[in-house]
Amino acid sequence: MSKIDLNTFNSLKESTGADFISELVDAFLDDAPTLIAQMRSALASQNAEVFRRAAHSMKSNAATFGAMDLSALARELESLARDNNLEIGNRLDAIESEFQQVKGELETLKI
Amino acid sequence: MVSTSPERARLLVIDDNKVNRMVLSRSLEQQGHLVDTADDGEEGLEKIRTQSFDLVLLDIEMPKMDGFQVLEACLNDVNLRQIPIIMTSAMEEVDAVVKCVELGAEDYLTKPVNPIMLRARVNASLEKKRLRDEQRKLFRTFATKEVAEELLRTGFSLGGKHVTASVMFADIRSFTSIAESQDPSDTIDLLNDYFGMMFDCINENKGSINQMIGDGVMALFGAPMYFEEHREYAVRAGLQMLEQLKVFNAQQAAQNKTQIHIGIGIASGQMIAGYTGTQTRAIYTCIGDTVNLASRIESHTKVVLRPLLIDNYTRLGLTSDYNLEDFGPAMFKGKQQAINIFAVNR
């Protein structure tokens, strides 16, 4: 099953210009691992605010490209962190693996 | 899909998220606008202050200085207040968005931004700004900055109300003979010099020009926008006018040109004020006893040979010390009771 909502992705492509989508996807794919790393280190240092901000950006960016499941996972994390709750179980690993699948699809779609 | 918008506008996108910045600025460029970006609130505010933008798209959640702070800084600055700001936020931040709109943000967009929504909101905001700018320009040609802002804020409607204000009438003495004794173009030049000076004095003292009839001027203080010290300001304006004229006459005398002498009458109290006319052509008018009285007092300057006369109610509102001369009660046409008249001397 596709990890990317094609309606969202195509609408993004149309509004920003077909020649721009590749650059845009690259910006996201470059940025996302940094965000995940920020979440990991914020978790280690128990910094809920830094964690929340990183989750917030991940949620927003994933939704922009139509990666709805990834966005929902990030949103859940953002919400927990907002309540100062960093008991997140294995959700960060779930985000990591979801992102890998999203990345694979976006790399095909951007061409 | 490149489509041109009605007008090419200069927009600023403030967002700490790179992907959001890219999507927004690129989409807006595709819609025909010129777009600049800022990575955080501080940089954004600096750009708003130093450059000129038609519209700002502002993210709420940002490190250092957030969207609220940027919005508030802009709204508190009289030079930036007229720039429309559209807040951009995540769906869940609805409380924050409501707060921003209440504060004075023009509109909002939720992220990820729907391109059709983006176009509609940006164009609507730009159109509203264009209309407001036009109105502002128009209002300023016949009203003070304060009155113009008030009209923009409260809107315009025909219909009157009771207001308390001060009315001033000013007339040039024997202008007809001046006009007859010199070239018509010299007369108009003289009149324009005169009006320029008088309007400055009136506007600087929070007054607004209500009517010009020939060489006469009617000005209002405390209407359409009320302020408590309307009587004090009206008198200050009157004295300033006389002072200006003295300087002007000295210059005229040195060049062997015509000098101007005027009479000023000020009365204060209740009157009926409102816009009269039609939706397409209307003027702000004040009518009532107080207005008539001010006009009669102005004529009375010829009787007592003092250039600035006020009624007793105006005198009671003065907060500074003036050199007042009591002329006692005088009867005026249309008034049942005698009115106490005072000259304000320099």
Side-chain angles (χ1 to χ4, degrees):
Chain A
M1 208 184 98
S2 174
K3 288 291 170 194
I4 304 291
D5 174 55
L6 285 179
N7 276 338
T8 306
F9 185 84
N10 288 332
S11 155
L12 178 70
K13 195 168 161 180
E14 196 186 319
S15 61
T16 56
D19 53 334
F20 189 67
I21 194 71
S22 159
E23 201 181 316
L24 203 55
V25 166
D26 289 345
F28 172 52
L29 297 184
D30 284 352
D31 207 28
T34 313
L35 292 175
I36 293 173
Q38 274 174 8
M39 283 190 263
R40 286 208 187 281
S41 86
L43 188 62
S45 61
Q46 290 290 295
N47 189 332
E49 179 55 17
V50 170
F51 189 96
R52 188 189 62 77
R53 278 187 192 281
H56 174 84
S57 297
M58 179 64 101
K59 172 198 73 178
S60 171
N61 292 353
T64 296
F65 291 92
M68 298 314 185
D69 292 346
L70 181 58
S71 181
L73 278 168
R75 182 175 165 182
E76 211 181 333
L77 286 178
E78 183 193 11
S79 163
L80 285 169
R82 184 177 293 121
D83 298 336
N84 231 346
N85 179 0
L86 290 183
E87 301 297 319
I88 59 161
N90 63 353
R91 287 187 179 87
L92 210 45
D93 296 332
I95 283 218
E96 182 89 60
S97 100
E98 181 69 24
F99 172 67
Q100 290 310 322
Q101 297 181 61
V102 164
K103 183 180 175 182
E105 283 191 33
L106 284 177
E107 274 169 346
T108 318
L109 283 170
K110 76 173 187 180
I111 305 160
Chain B
M1 185 187 71
V2 179
S3 51
T4 48
S5 64
E7 251 175 71
R8 199 175 167 85
R10 256 182 74 73
L11 313 182
L12 176 66
V13 171
I14 308 175
D15 203 311
D16 64 320
N17 182 319
K18 188 183 175 191
V19 170
N20 284 339
R21 273 199 312 277
M22 287 172 82
V23 171
L24 282 170
S25 60
R26 180 70 182 197
S27 303
L28 292 164
E29 279 166 5
Q30 293 287 98
Q31 292 176 16
H33 301 298
L34 290 166
V35 187
D36 196 355
T37 58
D39 300 1
D40 61 57
E42 268 177 18
E43 188 195 345
L45 188 58
E46 182 60 23
K47 284 194 171 178
I48 294 172
R49 281 187 174 138
T50 52
Q51 300 176 35
S52 127
F53 294 102
D54 299 307
L55 177 76
V56 176
L57 282 99
L58 177 61
D59 181 24
I60 295 182
E61 163 137 10
M62 288 184 290
K64 283 200 262 185
M65 191 176 196
D66 67 17
F68 283 119
Q69 292 168 298
V70 176
L71 178 67
E72 278 193 315
C74 289
L75 294 171
N76 288 331
D77 188 327
V78 81
N79 295 312
L80 306 180
R81 199 176 293 159
Q82 69 283 2
I83 305 171
I85 297 179
I86 296 181
M87 306 306 295
T88 61
S89 75
M91 206 82 81
E92 302 82 18
E93 295 171 304
V94 64
D95 289 351
V97 166
V98 168
K99 199 174 137 196
C100 289
V101 172
E102 277 174 354
L103 274 175
E106 179 80 26
D107 209 337
Y108 72 97
L109 282 162
T110 51
K111 285 183 281 199
V113 170
N114 175 306
I116 294 164
M117 223 39 160
L118 176 69
R119 176 194 300 269
R121 297 244 160 109
V122 164
N123 285 345
S125 295
L126 288 172
E127 180 59 15
K128 271 190 269 178
K129 176 179 188 282
R130 200 182 58 75
L131 286 173
R132 278 198 303 258
D133 285 351
E134 260 177 27
Q135 278 185 324
R136 187 173 277 115
K137 228 167 93 186
L138 200 63
F139 286 158
R140 282 197 185 155
T141 58
F142 67 81
T144 61
K145 191 173 170 183
E146 286 76 16
V147 171
E149 294 297 328
E150 176 70 8
L151 275 171
L152 281 171
R153 208 172 55 75
T154 58
F156 157 76
S157 67
L158 292 168
K161 59 177 183 183
H162 284 285
V163 298
T164 300
S166 295
V167 189
M168 170 197 280
F169 278 86
D171 246 322
I172 301 181
R173 290 286 152 266
S174 9
F175 190 71
T176 318
S177 56
I178 294 177
E180 279 165 1
S181 66
Q182 61 181 28
D183 194 70
S185 66
D186 290 342
T187 303
I188 294 298
D189 286 348
L190 183 68
L191 213 47
N192 286 339
D193 286 346
Y194 165 73
F195 279 138
M197 284 187 297
M198 297 304 106
F199 287 11
D200 284 347
C201 298
I202 290 165
N203 289 334
E204 275 168 29
N205 289 290
K206 302 206 223 176
S208 56
I209 312 298
N210 187 243
Q211 288 191 49
M212 293 155 63
I213 306 151
D215 59 301
V217 175
M218 172 181 166
L220 292 170
F221 297 79
M225 209 174 68
Y226 180 74
F227 56 93
E228 212 185 316
E229 324 82 355
H230 57 92
R231 293 174 284 189
E232 170 75 17
Y233 276 96
V235 170
R236 264 190 225 171
L239 283 175
Q240 206 175 313
M241 286 158 73
L242 295 175
E243 206 57 49
Q244 275 286 329
L245 216 49
K246 203 172 126 189
V247 176
F248 176 75
N249 281 338
Q251 290 167 354
Q252 293 288 98
Q255 296 171 53
N256 214 4
K257 286 184 175 172
T258 316
Q259 297 185 33
I260 289 180
H261 298 283
I262 62 170
I264 301 171
I266 297 169
S268 308
Q270 235 192 30
M271 60 198 86
I272 294 164
Y275 292 89
T276 56
T278 66
Q279 278 295 334
T280 48
R281 179 171 169 79
I283 58 161
Y284 187 78
T285 323
C286 284
I287 49 172
D289 275 358
T290 309
V291 181
N292 296 339
L293 181 62
S295 168
R296 307 255 185 252
I297 292 177
E298 186 273 311
S299 299
H300 201 59
T301 58
K302 287 176 267 189
V303 179
V304 298
L305 302 173
R306 294 290 182 281
L308 174 53
L309 296 180
I310 63 176
D311 71 339
N312 190 44
Y313 186 67
T314 303
R315 182 188 69 100
L316 293 173
L318 298 181
T319 49
S320 323
D321 269 340
Y322 291 100
N323 178 9
L324 296 176
E325 189 181 352
D326 190 346
F327 277 95
M331 287 304 294
F332 291 102
K333 198 178 158 192
K335 278 274 174 190
Q336 308 293 338
Q337 285 174 312
I339 303 287
N340 280 313
I341 296 297
F342 296 84
V344 186
N345 298 324
R346 277 172 289 170

